Amino acid sequence: MIRMLVILSAAAVVLGCADNHLAEEQRVVRTGAEILIENHLDELDGKRVGLVMNPTARIGDVHMLDTLTALDVNITALFAPEHGFRGEAGAGERIEGGTDLETGLPVYSLYGHTRKPTADMLNDVDILLFDMQDVGARFYTYHATMGLVLEAAAEAELPVWILDRPNPAGGNYVSGWVMEEEFRSFVGPYPIPIAHGLTLGELAKMMVGEQWLETNKRPNVIVIEMEGWTRDMKWPQTGLEWYPPSPNLPTFEHAFVYLGTCFFEGTNLSEGRGTEDPFLTLGHPDTELSEADLDSLQNLTDQLVFSLAEFTPVSIPGVAPSPKHQDVTSYGIKIEMLSVDFDPVRTGLQVLHILYQATPGAEIRPFLYNLAGSQEIDKIMNGEVHADHMSFGVESFRLDRSDYLLYDD
């Protein structure tokens, strides 16, 4: 009875008052985190629990760490991916280990001197809970962290529970080159397309089943599945509130367009870090767009509005500490998204081609090929092939992934 009262009390904190209960009933999707609390909490009794989470690990407005602590779950260690456990760092900033100020628990960095949990970090852990909101992109680093966690847990013979969340771009959207081995990196650790259409739970199953992980022991992975999510859903249809998975993706619109405009990071053109609208603001101090360029942009899709923009990237601590062309006026475009009825990868690639050709001082950096996963991107950059006509060769991947799908259309 006492345990039940604690659960009910914590649930009240998570879900809030009667108004929030009404909002809860109107939501379409219920996340793996919610299903864990409702159906699997007793399985954590007597366990020392480690959390691999970030700021998106929430039920309502409450972080899962705080929810589980209120439910008297024995949390013993916290593991922080890129951007930090509670989201205190910008992209690429090294995460330092330390102590969570609100709970006093140790925080181990997985984006600093080491990106894989060590045996010492796992000494006081019996089970790991992994909960992060992904964006569905191969170059987004959370699934790379997940793979390393699965390897470390397998070596330590620890189970990993993936608390599943939606792929914001949908489960049917697959686009972009499958990563080629020579371009393997932390922003492309596995042979999957740029937009893979999988949830992290499904991707974890595929990592294990396809033997992509570097371990001699089979990982013990349990996916706590969502309820109500179907593959044809994009984020606005889920009814879930958007919590930024990183500081430069403040809304779903930023994250969806990011699937294609992230390629700007592989050039010396600005991807908009240091502005109010990263990945929707693009350009360079030398960019000069003609009327023909603007027409070409607008002809890409009628679901985006492109307008000329003049902007000056500035340093924003914890978001964009050292953006490209800091404090220098740049020229380019601002993107407004009207709907999700377009292919963000192909559109972003063609936008990059147009702005690159309109910028006399434009340069390609090797990182571009890590993002693309293939040198085939050169054919788009030089105008040899329009992005709409590029063959990405994803048919084999679609077939392979079918064995790991957990949700129907």
Side-chain angles (χ1 to χ4, degrees):
M1 178 63 72
I2 294 176
R3 172 76 170 189
M4 181 59 68
L5 289 174
V6 172
I7 292 176
L8 291 173
S9 176
V13 171
V14 171
L15 299 178
C17 62
D19 290 341
N20 280 349
H21 279 300
L22 178 61
E24 187 75 10
E25 292 172 1
Q26 293 173 342
R27 284 205 292 104
V28 176
V29 173
R30 302 176 68 241
T31 64
E34 294 171 85
I35 304 306
L36 170 79
I37 297 301
E38 291 187 11
N39 299 333
H40 302 281
L41 206 61
D42 59 336
E43 298 171 49
L44 300 179
D45 282 346
K47 304 289 188 182
R48 298 171 300 171
V49 181
L51 306 182
V52 189
M53 296 183 177
N54 71 357
T56 64
R58 293 174 179 269
I59 302 176
D61 291 332
V62 184
H63 195 284
M64 277 295 287
L65 168 60
D66 303 319
T67 296
L68 293 169
T69 300
L71 291 169
D72 204 28
V73 174
N74 183 24
I75 309 300
T76 56
L78 310 177
F79 298 87
E82 184 177 6
H83 307 299
F85 192 86
R86 293 191 185 265
E88 63 275 9
E93 286 189 73
R94 177 171 288 179
I95 303 297
E96 301 296 338
T99 302
D100 180 66
L101 296 180
E102 295 186 33
T103 62
L105 290 167
V107 180
Y108 298 108
S109 170
L110 300 183
Y111 199 76
H113 296 292
T114 181
R115 294 183 175 178
K116 180 177 179 178
T118 65
D120 286 344
M121 293 179 186
L122 298 173
N123 270 341
D124 296 323
V125 174
D126 298 317
I127 186 172
L128 288 168
L129 304 184
F130 187 102
D131 186 10
M132 298 183 205
Q133 178 59 61
D134 194 34
V135 301
R138 186 188 64 227
F139 37 64
Y140 212 62
T141 64
Y142 294 155
H143 76 275
T145 295
M146 182 174 69
L148 293 174
V149 167
L150 294 180
E151 291 176 3
E155 293 157 11
E157 300 183 346
L158 298 177
V160 180
W161 291 9
I162 310 295
L163 312 186
D164 221 5
R165 291 181 181 267
N167 183 321
N172 292 327
Y173 175 57
V174 177
S175 188
W177 299 278
V178 175
M179 192 273 299
E180 298 168 9
E181 182 61 28
E182 67 179 292
F183 300 113
R184 184 177 181 181
S185 70
F186 198 64
V187 295
Y190 306 110
I192 59 177
I194 291 162
H196 48 74
L198 297 170
T199 69
L200 286 183
E202 293 173 329
L203 189 49
K205 291 283 191 182
M206 192 168 188
M207 289 177 186
V208 175
E210 296 297 307
Q211 299 182 350
W212 292 339
L213 302 174
E214 297 180 4
T215 176
N216 294 323
K217 298 180 180 179
R218 186 176 179 85
N220 180 1
V221 179
I222 296 172
V223 179
I224 307 299
E225 297 179 25
M226 296 175 282
E227 290 184 357
W229 190 74
T230 55
R231 310 208 72 79
D232 58 345
M233 284 183 178
K234 289 183 168 58
W235 186 267
Q237 297 170 284
T238 67
L240 295 169
E241 185 174 354
W242 182 265
Y243 287 98
S246 58
N248 284 287
L249 299 179
T251 71
F252 162 70
E253 288 76 12
H254 291 80
F256 195 62
V257 175
Y258 161 87
L259 295 175
T261 56
C262 182
F263 295 111
F264 278 76
E265 294 196 277
T267 72
N268 67 338
L269 277 72
S270 171
E271 70 284 347
R273 293 186 191 276
T275 74
E276 292 183 355
D277 283 304
F279 302 105
L280 298 178
T281 305
L282 310 165
H284 183 279
D286 295 341
T287 299
E288 296 181 9
L289 290 165
S290 66
E291 288 296 328
D293 291 329
L294 284 175
D295 288 342
S296 295
L297 287 167
Q298 203 55 67
N299 287 335
L300 294 176
T301 173
D302 58 5
Q303 304 309 310
L304 295 176
V305 175
F306 299 91
S307 57
L308 289 173
E310 178 179 319
F311 61 96
T312 303
V314 298
S315 176
I316 306 175
V319 179
S322 301
K324 294 177 189 171
H325 313 299
Q326 181 177 330
D327 300 325
V328 177
T329 301
S330 290
Y331 306 91
I333 58 169
K334 181 76 173 291
I335 301 174
E336 178 186 357
M337 191 174 99
L338 303 180
S339 86
V340 297
D341 296 328
F342 68 101
D343 184 326
V345 172
R346 292 184 186 275
T347 302
L349 284 166
Q350 198 61 27
V351 169
L352 176 60
H353 160 72
I354 293 170
L355 266 68
Y356 183 81
Q357 295 297 326
T359 305
E363 298 175 0
I364 289 176
R365 296 171 176 173
F367 188 54
L368 180 65
Y369 303 111
N370 293 114
L371 294 171
S374 172
Q375 284 188 314
E376 287 287 291
I377 193 173
D378 285 342
K379 295 178 180 179
I380 295 175
M381 296 295 289
N382 62 28
E384 180 181 344
V385 178
H386 191 287
D388 285 349
H389 303 140
M390 174 62 71
S391 174
F392 292 131
V394 299
E395 293 78 13
S396 178
F397 170 78
R398 281 188 178 276
L399 182 62
D400 290 342
R401 79 170 195 154
S402 64
D403 291 335
Y404 307 101
L405 302 183
L406 300 173
Y407 308 94
D408 297 325
D409 289 329

